Amino acid sequence: MSHSRTMSETISEPDSVISFNENVYLSMKNDISTATYVEHARQIIDQLVTKQNRWIETPPRVNNVDASRVLDAMLRNARQSGGENSERYTACAICACPEIHDQVNLARTLFVYLLWPFTAGSHRPSSDLISDQSTPTSDDTYGSLGSANPERRSGFRSDVNRRDSYRCVVTGMWDGEHRPVDSNQTWVSLIGTRILKRAVGVFTMERADTAAATWNTIRLYSGMSEETIRNMESLVDDPSNGMMLHRDVHAIFDMLKVYLEQTERENEYVVKEVGGRWIHRKFLDSTITFRNHAAPTRDIPLPNPHFIALHAAICRILHMSGAAEVFAQILDRYDGAAGGNAGILKSNGNPVHQLSSMMSALYISTSLESAA
């Protein structure tokens, strides 16, 4: 392969993504140490970074994607995302791509099927659905997506609010109607924030396989149990997927600029950010501990550490790989080309097809501008 490849022309089919993951999953089942796979994967990345044809082309006036940075960020954050199994999966996936075009295609697949759905999730309404997926196999994955219930669980905010003692877990501010009588705090309505958004893996029945490919990848990279993935449809509205946040913190958490990094202590986290100055210095690197303040009256589950770890990993990967900047450029350019009406496309359909449509529209727009 002697040239870069255009993303909108080479997005892998969902079934091929799942088949690749199945093969990687099988290749993990041997006596070769994870450290050996990681070492080999790093050698592949070190070689790829020297190749001129490592780039994935994007529309004009949008930065191209460096495949080596995507793979490097995925590997560096794998262990924190889901432990040794996640690191093993990521290293094995890279090792399964001996040729440069295979490595670039793997980076493109992760860019489209894993990183983009999380980014798209911060640009769509929360009424969208999140899908489920139970095993690494194609048949089971497709089957598990067929029974999505569009109704949302009532009481999510009230349960999370009660568990978190009616306070923002980061700033400590009280939810307005629950302020102590002697408090001089201004009225603030806290937001029940979902760690994993409904928009991640959103699907329509005719394209359920797209969400299947996304969740198949998430399962292997995050280290979540089959049971958790299988129940994701209901868990998205469970208190284990939520926390109370001040609206400003909620916004940057949703934008994948702020995340929680787990400490060695159970349910204890440190507030972190990626790039820039997104959060007040007073709260950056502060430690928070989740407790069920509704106990013993109510047994309300604490935030799932796997959900928090996956959110944190995606935040870091988007920043380290440069993908966050590329996605922002695509969205900004599309908004401009669509005359500010891009929200219609961004909030309907599934994320992978949205990205493909936006990319195609930008190429067409550029062609029309050149012809004018």
Side-chain angles (χ1 to χ4, degrees), residues 35-287:
T36 299
Y37 277 122
V38 170
E39 181 181 3
H40 187 203
R42 293 201 183 282
Q43 291 173 355
I44 290 174
I45 294 171
D46 289 343
Q47 286 295 316
L48 180 60
V49 76
T50 67
K51 307 300 181 182
Q52 292 187 354
N53 52 346
R54 71 183 185 277
W55 298 92
I56 304 168
E57 288 188 359
T58 56
R61 299 194 294 279
V62 174
N63 292 345
N64 287 337
V65 181
D66 186 338
S68 67
R69 288 184 65 186
V70 173
L71 298 183
D72 179 64
M74 291 291 298
L75 185 59
R76 288 181 183 274
N77 288 282
R79 183 170 285 268
Q80 285 181 285
S81 173
E84 182 180 349
N85 283 342
S86 299
E87 185 177 48
R88 187 176 181 85
Y89 157 72
T90 307
C92 285
I94 296 171
C95 293
C97 300
E99 304 296 333
I100 295 176
H101 68 87
D102 294 324
Q103 297 156 19
V104 173
N105 191 53
L106 173 59
R108 181 187 301 105
T109 298
L110 295 169
F111 183 86
V112 171
Y113 282 95
L114 180 63
L115 301 181
W116 167 249
F118 279 88
T119 302
S122 65
H123 291 273
R124 66 173 69 249
S126 59
S127 59
D128 286 328
L129 288 175
I130 192 167
S131 69
D132 60 7
Q133 184 264 323
S134 57
T135 74
T137 64
S138 176
D139 291 342
D140 288 346
T141 299
Y142 293 151
S144 69
L145 294 174
S147 59
N149 185 346
E151 296 187 12
R152 303 180 63 174
R153 175 186 179 275
S154 62
F156 171 81
R157 183 184 184 279
S158 60
D159 283 349
V160 175
N161 210 7
R162 186 174 182 181
R163 184 200 67 201
D164 291 344
S165 192
Y166 307 104
R167 305 182 74 174
C168 169
V169 299
V170 173
T171 67
M173 296 188 71
W174 292 90
D175 189 41
E177 61 182 337
H178 298 285
R179 293 175 302 172
V181 293
D182 59 348
S183 173
N184 59 2
Q185 175 195 303
T186 57
W187 181 278
V188 173
S189 182
L190 301 182
I191 297 178
T193 301
R194 285 170 175 78
I195 302 165
L196 300 184
K197 305 303 167 191
R198 286 180 160 269
V200 179
V202 64
F203 68 96
T204 56
M205 290 306 295
E206 65 271 17
R207 294 194 179 103
D209 53 339
T210 301
T214 292
W215 275 99
N216 186 278
T217 305
I218 288 175
R219 177 185 180 275
L220 291 170
Y221 189 72
S222 68
M224 291 186 200
S225 68
E226 293 183 10
E227 181 181 5
T228 298
I229 295 293
R230 187 165 52 246
N231 295 327
M232 204 65 221
E233 178 190 340
S234 60
L235 288 176
V236 70
D237 287 325
D238 188 79
S240 63
N241 187 43
M243 68 183 78
M244 298 307 295
L245 294 177
H246 181 278
R247 61 180 179 273
D248 293 339
V249 182
H250 164 85
I252 53 180
F253 185 87
D254 262 12
M255 291 168 59
L256 303 167
K257 303 300 183 184
V258 167
Y259 63 92
L260 302 182
E261 182 177 275
Q262 189 163 18
T263 70
E264 295 181 354
R265 297 180 179 178
E266 188 176 9
N267 300 315
E268 183 182 87
Y269 300 86
V270 177
V271 179
K272 296 289 185 179
E273 67 178 4
V274 291
R277 295 174 64 91
W278 295 101
I279 194 168
H280 194 284
R281 301 300 94 178
K282 176 181 178 181
F283 306 117
L284 184 64
D285 293 324
S286 61
T287 300

